[in-house]
PDB file of all heavy atoms in Angstrom:
ATOM      1  N   SER A  24     -13.352   7.639  21.731  1.00 93.00           N
ATOM      2  CA  SER A  24     -12.778   6.976  20.551  1.00 93.00           C
ATOM      3  C   SER A  24     -13.282   5.539  20.482  1.00 93.00           C
ATOM      4  O   SER A  24     -12.748   4.718  19.738  1.00 93.00           O
ATOM      5  CB  SER A  24     -11.251   6.994  20.633  1.00 93.00           C
ATOM      6  OG  SER A  24     -10.803   6.253  21.742  1.00 93.00           O
ATOM      7  N   GLN A  27     -14.014   3.818  16.981  1.00 92.00           N
ATOM      8  CA  GLN A  27     -12.840   3.485  16.152  1.00 92.00           C
ATOM      9  C   GLN A  27     -11.970   2.417  16.818  1.00 92.00           C
ATOM     10  O   GLN A  27     -11.224   1.703  16.133  1.00 92.00           O
ATOM     11  CB  GLN A  27     -12.015   4.743  15.858  1.00 92.00           C
ATOM     12  CG  GLN A  27     -11.973   5.720  17.037  1.00 92.00           C
ATOM     13  CD  GLN A  27     -10.837   6.665  16.996  1.00 92.00           C
ATOM     14  OE1 GLN A  27      -9.705   6.268  17.136  1.00 92.00           O
ATOM     15  NE2 GLN A  27     -11.160   7.941  16.797  1.00 92.00           N
ATOM     16  N   ASP A  28     -12.103   2.305  18.150  1.00 94.00           N
ATOM     17  CA  ASP A  28     -11.219   1.392  18.881  1.00 94.00           C
ATOM     18  C   ASP A  28     -11.531  -0.086  18.631  1.00 94.00           C
ATOM     19  O   ASP A  28     -10.744  -0.945  19.032  1.00 94.00           O
ATOM     20  CB  ASP A  28     -11.305   1.682  20.395  1.00 94.00           C
ATOM     21  CG  ASP A  28     -10.565   2.955  20.764  1.00 94.00           C
ATOM     22  OD1 ASP A  28      -9.820   3.471  19.916  1.00 94.00           O
ATOM     23  OD2 ASP A  28     -10.745   3.443  21.896  1.00 94.00           O
ATOM     24  N   GLU A  90     -14.579   6.347  27.803  1.00 90.00           N
ATOM     25  CA  GLU A  90     -14.065   7.239  26.752  1.00 90.00           C
ATOM     26  C   GLU A  90     -13.320   6.492  25.660  1.00 90.00           C
ATOM     27  O   GLU A  90     -13.127   7.006  24.566  1.00 90.00           O
ATOM     28  CB  GLU A  90     -13.108   8.267  27.365  1.00 90.00           C
ATOM     29  CG  GLU A  90     -13.815   9.361  28.127  1.00 90.00           C
ATOM     30  CD  GLU A  90     -12.824  10.363  28.692  1.00 90.00           C
ATOM     31  OE1 GLU A  90     -11.879  10.727  27.975  1.00 90.00           O
ATOM     32  OE2 GLU A  90     -13.015  10.779  29.845  1.00 90.00           O
ATOM     33  N   ASP A  91     -12.851   5.302  25.999  1.00 93.00           N
ATOM     34  CA  ASP A  91     -12.131   4.532  24.974  1.00 93.00           C
ATOM     35  C   ASP A  91     -12.087   3.050  25.363  1.00 93.00           C
ATOM     36  O   ASP A  91     -12.562   2.667  26.436  1.00 93.00           O
ATOM     37  CB  ASP A  91     -10.724   5.097  24.712  1.00 93.00           C
ATOM     38  CG  ASP A  91      -9.907   5.212  25.994  1.00 93.00           C
ATOM     39  OD1 ASP A  91     -10.100   4.386  26.897  1.00 93.00           O
ATOM     40  OD2 ASP A  91      -9.067   6.139  26.084  1.00 93.00           O
ATOM     41  N   HIS A  93      -9.648   1.275  26.303  1.00 96.00           N
ATOM     42  CA  HIS A  93      -8.817   0.951  27.468  1.00 96.00           C
ATOM     43  C   HIS A  93      -9.643   1.057  28.751  1.00 96.00           C
ATOM     44  O   HIS A  93      -9.589   0.199  29.622  1.00 96.00           O
ATOM     45  CB  HIS A  93      -7.597   1.885  27.555  1.00 96.00           C
ATOM     46  CG  HIS A  93      -7.005   2.203  26.214  1.00 96.00           C
ATOM     47  ND1 HIS A  93      -6.458   1.227  25.422  1.00 96.00           N
ATOM     48  CD2 HIS A  93      -6.901   3.371  25.524  1.00 96.00           C
ATOM     49  CE1 HIS A  93      -6.027   1.792  24.289  1.00 96.00           C
ATOM     50  NE2 HIS A  93      -6.296   3.083  24.324  1.00 96.00           N
ATOM     51  N   SER A 117       0.234   3.125  31.527  1.00 97.00           N
ATOM     52  CA  SER A 117      -0.699   4.231  31.342  1.00 97.00           C
ATOM     53  C   SER A 117      -1.409   3.987  30.020  1.00 97.00           C
ATOM     54  O   SER A 117      -0.964   3.171  29.210  1.00 97.00           O
ATOM     55  CB  SER A 117       0.102   5.538  31.293  1.00 97.00           C
ATOM     56  OG  SER A 117      -0.505   6.468  30.453  1.00 97.00           O
ATOM     57  N   ARG A 118      -2.503   4.708  29.804  1.00 97.00           N
ATOM     58  CA  ARG A 118      -3.125   4.582  28.481  1.00 97.00           C
ATOM     59  C   ARG A 118      -2.193   5.134  27.402  1.00 97.00           C
ATOM     60  O   ARG A 118      -2.335   4.815  26.233  1.00 97.00           O
ATOM     61  CB  ARG A 118      -4.446   5.355  28.441  1.00 97.00           C
ATOM     62  CG  ARG A 118      -5.608   4.619  29.042  1.00 97.00           C
ATOM     63  CD  ARG A 118      -6.884   5.372  28.850  1.00 97.00           C
ATOM     64  NE  ARG A 118      -6.900   6.660  29.495  1.00 97.00           N
ATOM     65  CZ  ARG A 118      -7.824   7.598  29.320  1.00 97.00           C
ATOM     66  NH1 ARG A 118      -8.817   7.373  28.476  1.00 97.00           N
ATOM     67  NH2 ARG A 118      -7.788   8.746  29.960  1.00 97.00           N
ATOM     68  N   ASN A 119      -1.240   5.967  27.820  1.00 98.00           N
ATOM     69  CA  ASN A 119      -0.372   6.586  26.816  1.00 98.00           C
ATOM     70  C   ASN A 119       0.583   5.609  26.161  1.00 98.00           C
ATOM     71  O   ASN A 119       0.822   5.662  24.958  1.00 98.00           O
ATOM     72  CB  ASN A 119       0.413   7.750  27.436  1.00 98.00           C
ATOM     73  CG  ASN A 119      -0.522   8.819  27.956  1.00 98.00           C
ATOM     74  OD1 ASN A 119      -1.728   8.761  27.681  1.00 98.00           O
ATOM     75  ND2 ASN A 119      -0.005   9.780  28.700  1.00 98.00           N
ATOM     76  N   VAL A 122      -1.920   2.802  24.291  1.00 98.00           N
ATOM     77  CA  VAL A 122      -2.505   3.090  22.970  1.00 98.00           C
ATOM     78  C   VAL A 122      -1.453   2.966  21.867  1.00 98.00           C
ATOM     79  O   VAL A 122      -1.711   2.473  20.785  1.00 98.00           O
ATOM     80  CB  VAL A 122      -3.255   4.447  22.943  1.00 98.00           C
ATOM     81  CG1 VAL A 122      -2.311   5.633  23.013  1.00 98.00           C
ATOM     82  CG2 VAL A 122      -4.105   4.547  21.680  1.00 98.00           C
ATOM     83  N   ARG A 241       5.153   9.944  16.858  1.00 98.00           N
ATOM     84  CA  ARG A 241       4.313   9.202  15.926  1.00 98.00           C
ATOM     85  C   ARG A 241       4.979   9.146  14.548  1.00 98.00           C
ATOM     86  O   ARG A 241       4.356   8.846  13.547  1.00 98.00           O
ATOM     87  CB  ARG A 241       2.918   9.870  15.783  1.00 98.00           C
ATOM     88  CG  ARG A 241       2.072   9.856  17.040  1.00 98.00           C
ATOM     89  CD  ARG A 241       1.660   8.451  17.461  1.00 98.00           C
ATOM     90  NE  ARG A 241       0.712   8.450  18.580  1.00 98.00           N
ATOM     91  CZ  ARG A 241       1.068   8.462  19.873  1.00 98.00           C
ATOM     92  NH1 ARG A 241       2.346   8.491  20.206  1.00 98.00           N
ATOM     93  NH2 ARG A 241       0.150   8.435  20.824  1.00 98.00           N
ATOM     94  N   TYR A 326       2.031  13.036  25.723  1.00 97.00           N
ATOM     95  CA  TYR A 326       0.772  12.645  25.092  1.00 97.00           C
ATOM     96  C   TYR A 326      -0.219  13.811  25.099  1.00 97.00           C
ATOM     97  O   TYR A 326      -0.299  14.562  26.070  1.00 97.00           O
ATOM     98  CB  TYR A 326       0.136  11.439  25.833  1.00 97.00           C
ATOM     99  CG  TYR A 326      -1.206  11.106  25.238  1.00 97.00           C
ATOM    100  CD1 TYR A 326      -1.308  10.334  24.095  1.00 97.00           C
ATOM    101  CD2 TYR A 326      -2.379  11.642  25.778  1.00 97.00           C
ATOM    102  CE1 TYR A 326      -2.547  10.063  23.506  1.00 97.00           C
ATOM    103  CE2 TYR A 326      -3.620  11.375  25.204  1.00 97.00           C
ATOM    104  CZ  TYR A 326      -3.693  10.593  24.065  1.00 97.00           C
ATOM    105  OH  TYR A 326      -4.899  10.346  23.479  1.00 97.00           O
ATOM    106  N   HIS A 327      -0.931  13.977  24.013  1.00 97.00           N
ATOM    107  CA  HIS A 327      -2.028  14.945  23.923  1.00 97.00           C
ATOM    108  C   HIS A 327      -3.186  14.251  23.245  1.00 97.00           C
ATOM    109  O   HIS A 327      -2.978  13.408  22.370  1.00 97.00           O
ATOM    110  CB  HIS A 327      -1.605  16.171  23.098  1.00 97.00           C
ATOM    111  CG  HIS A 327      -0.353  16.786  23.622  1.00 97.00           C
ATOM    112  ND1 HIS A 327      -0.343  17.753  24.590  1.00 97.00           N
ATOM    113  CD2 HIS A 327       0.936  16.532  23.322  1.00 97.00           C
ATOM    114  CE1 HIS A 327       0.913  18.064  24.874  1.00 97.00           C
ATOM    115  NE2 HIS A 327       1.709  17.330  24.119  1.00 97.00           N
ATOM    116  N   ARG A 328      -4.389  14.643  23.587  1.00 97.00           N
ATOM    117  CA  ARG A 328      -5.559  13.930  23.071  1.00 97.00           C
ATOM    118  C   ARG A 328      -5.653  14.067  21.547  1.00 97.00           C
ATOM    119  O   ARG A 328      -6.297  13.255  20.877  1.00 97.00           O
ATOM    120  CB  ARG A 328      -6.836  14.444  23.759  1.00 97.00           C
ATOM    121  CG  ARG A 328      -8.043  13.525  23.630  1.00 97.00           C
ATOM    122  CD  ARG A 328      -7.806  12.149  24.275  1.00 97.00           C
ATOM    123  NE  ARG A 328      -8.991  11.323  24.213  1.00 97.00           N
ATOM    124  CZ  ARG A 328      -9.845  11.130  25.209  1.00 97.00           C
ATOM    125  NH1 ARG A 328      -9.617  11.673  26.386  1.00 97.00           N
ATOM    126  NH2 ARG A 328     -10.908  10.377  25.036  1.00 97.00           N
ATOM    127  N   LEU A 330      -3.637  13.275  19.550  1.00 98.00           N
ATOM    128  CA  LEU A 330      -3.044  12.067  18.937  1.00 98.00           C
ATOM    129  C   LEU A 330      -4.082  10.982  18.679  1.00 98.00           C
ATOM    130  O   LEU A 330      -3.888  10.098  17.844  1.00 98.00           O
ATOM    131  CB  LEU A 330      -1.912  11.535  19.822  1.00 98.00           C
ATOM    132  CG  LEU A 330      -0.684  12.457  19.900  1.00 98.00           C
ATOM    133  CD1 LEU A 330       0.283  11.966  20.975  1.00 98.00           C
ATOM    134  CD2 LEU A 330       0.020  12.544  18.549  1.00 98.00           C
ATOM    135  N   GLN A 331      -5.182  11.064  19.414  1.00 98.00           N
ATOM    136  CA  GLN A 331      -6.248  10.077  19.223  1.00 98.00           C
ATOM    137  C   GLN A 331      -6.757  10.099  17.783  1.00 98.00           C
ATOM    138  O   GLN A 331      -7.125   9.069  17.228  1.00 98.00           O
ATOM    139  CB  GLN A 331      -7.391  10.384  20.199  1.00 98.00           C
ATOM    140  CG  GLN A 331      -8.591   9.499  20.059  1.00 98.00           C
ATOM    141  CD  GLN A 331      -9.583   9.723  21.184  1.00 98.00           C
ATOM    142  OE1 GLN A 331      -9.365   9.306  22.312  1.00 98.00           O
ATOM    143  NE2 GLN A 331     -10.676  10.408  20.885  1.00 98.00           N
ATOM    144  N   LYS A 334      -5.557   7.751  14.913  1.00 98.00           N
ATOM    145  CA  LYS A 334      -5.940   6.340  14.790  1.00 98.00           C
ATOM    146  C   LYS A 334      -6.840   6.056  13.575  1.00 98.00           C
ATOM    147  O   LYS A 334      -6.496   5.192  12.764  1.00 98.00           O
ATOM    148  CB  LYS A 334      -6.600   5.850  16.083  1.00 98.00           C
ATOM    149  CG  LYS A 334      -5.608   5.551  17.183  1.00 98.00           C
ATOM    150  CD  LYS A 334      -6.261   4.882  18.379  1.00 98.00           C
ATOM    151  CE  LYS A 334      -7.339   5.755  18.973  1.00 98.00           C
ATOM    152  NZ  LYS A 334      -7.930   5.180  20.193  1.00 98.00           N
TER     153      LYS A 334
HETATM  154  N1  LIG B 601      -8.178   7.144  23.579  1.00 68.91           N
HETATM  155  C1  LIG B 601      -6.864   7.665  23.710  1.00 68.91           C
HETATM  156  C2  LIG B 601      -6.175   7.663  22.323  1.00 68.91           C
HETATM  157  O1  LIG B 601      -6.657   7.023  21.468  1.00 68.91           O
HETATM  158  C3  LIG B 601      -6.060   6.821  24.629  1.00 68.91           C
HETATM  159  C4  LIG B 601      -5.013   7.533  25.387  1.00 68.91           C
HETATM  160  C5  LIG B 601      -5.635   8.474  26.356  1.00 68.91           C
HETATM  161  N2  LIG B 601      -4.680   9.063  27.239  1.00 68.91           N
HETATM  162  C6  LIG B 601      -4.948  10.139  27.960  1.00 68.91           C
HETATM  163  N3  LIG B 601      -3.985  10.579  28.713  1.00 68.91           N
HETATM  164  N4  LIG B 601      -6.084  10.773  27.866  1.00 68.91           N
HETATM  165  O2  LIG B 601      -5.192   8.308  22.128  1.00 68.91           O
END
Side-chain angles (χ1 to χ4, degrees):
S24 63
Q27 37 160 292
D28 286 347
E90 285 181 42
D91 54 32
H93 322 297
S117 148
R118 279 186 297 170
N119 299 350
V122 70
R241 295 294 187 272
Y326 176 82
H327 306 272
R328 198 62 176 260
L330 293 171
Q331 177 171 286
K334 282 188 300 184

